[in-house]
Amino acid sequence: MILLIALLAATSPASLDKSCKAGRIAACDELGGRYADGIGVRADVTRAAELFRRACKGGNKDGCADDARMLALGQGQKADPKAALLQLDKMCKDGLDRACGHLGEMLLRGLAGPADAPLGEDLLAKACDKGFGRACSNLASAVYKAVAQREQAETFSLRGCQLGDPAGCAYAGDLYALSGDTVRAAVYLAKACDAGLARGCGGQGMLLMDSGADPKRGRALLQKACDAGDVRSCSALRDLKK
């Protein structure tokens, strides 16, 4: 887990951009993911969609799955969830785990019709088992919201974090914070922040502020997260000024 997060942090957006422009298509998809989630850069869904489309046109299957997800959500382009889900379904049936994970997420959201939680969670679980970290993190959120099973959500979030998804680390940190385990909360929020996820930095900052452990650093982390586009951190900073 430490190695995966460290590698993510070490590969800068600038180096990914250089590689993408040099024709390494996988770098285009990875950079698109950074812009889509705001990891090490300010979130920019239009830029993300452009990069995913470039990766897909270059023959990168993960890029095609990511592009279809953006099409379903209408991020960086006009939404067409029905067309997107057909694309994801075909790619999933062809064995692309990322497509199965995205399809599961879309079915949970009910974007192209009534939500289908059982099928959505099943697809996420299978993609998670195959090593797609984002699916594990999304499943953690779905399970916790649906049945309030914190332990199961914790398992999935830790799996996502282990597979290199900073959102999984952040979600694990949030769960530990809710249960009063501030030590483990701090560890996992720091992992998310170190990987460049603004929400992780914001969560770490709020923890340091609320606990009184290091208010100065906490405020600095909140500001860092706010500058990167994390709405929750910006709201927390405004509250501090009142």
Side-chain angles (χ1 to χ4, degrees):
M1 174 174 59
I2 294 173
L3 178 60
L4 285 170
I5 295 296
L7 286 172
L8 180 62
T11 309
S12 70
S15 64
L16 286 172
D17 184 55
K18 183 178 180 180
S19 295
C20 175
K21 289 176 179 176
R24 192 167 74 83
I25 299 302
C28 302
D29 182 57
E30 186 174 345
L31 183 59
R34 301 285 184 94
Y35 277 106
D37 296 331
I39 299 175
V41 294
R42 190 175 182 87
D44 184 340
V45 295
T46 299
R47 176 70 172 139
E50 292 171 352
L51 287 162
F52 290 148
R53 199 170 301 117
R54 179 173 181 175
C56 182
K57 288 181 178 179
N60 183 276
K61 292 182 179 179
D62 284 344
C64 293
D66 291 334
D67 182 43
R69 178 180 180 274
M70 299 293 272
L71 177 63
L73 296 171
Q75 293 184 336
Q77 58 199 295
K78 184 178 179 180
D80 191 344
K82 289 186 178 180
L85 263 65
L86 285 174
Q87 293 174 28
L88 288 170
D89 183 60
K90 183 180 184 304
M91 286 185 278
C92 179
K93 288 176 178 175
D94 288 341
L96 187 63
D97 300 324
R98 184 178 295 248
C100 295
H102 289 338
L103 180 60
E105 179 190 356
M106 298 305 107
L107 289 172
L108 281 175
R109 293 189 182 204
L111 288 185
D116 190 338
L119 180 56
E121 289 181 16
D122 182 62
L123 286 166
L124 285 171
K126 288 177 179 177
C128 175
D129 288 342
K130 294 291 184 63
F132 181 39
R134 186 188 187 98
C136 306
S137 304
N138 284 337
L139 188 56
S141 178
V143 167
Y144 188 74
K145 288 178 180 178
V147 292
Q149 292 183 339
R150 194 190 68 80
E151 289 185 7
Q152 193 174 6
E154 178 186 324
T155 298
F156 287 126
S157 63
L158 290 175
R159 174 66 172 156
C161 182
Q162 182 182 34
L163 289 168
D165 180 31
C169 303
Y171 198 78
D174 288 342
L175 288 174
Y176 287 131
L178 286 171
S179 67
D181 189 343
T182 56
V183 174
R184 283 198 288 184
V187 168
Y188 284 95
L189 288 168
K191 288 182 187 299
C193 183
D194 290 345
L197 185 66
R199 184 164 70 85
C201 297
Q204 185 184 11
M206 282 187 272
L207 193 64
L208 291 172
M209 293 287 294
D210 292 342
S211 66
D214 192 340
K216 183 178 179 180
R217 174 162 169 72
R219 186 184 285 268
L221 284 168
L222 283 172
Q223 187 64 60
K224 177 181 179 180
C226 178
D227 291 343
D230 184 57
V231 175
R232 188 173 65 166
S233 296
C234 294
S235 177
L237 284 171
R238 286 194 297 270
D239 290 341
L240 288 172
K241 295 175 182 178
K242 292 180 180 178

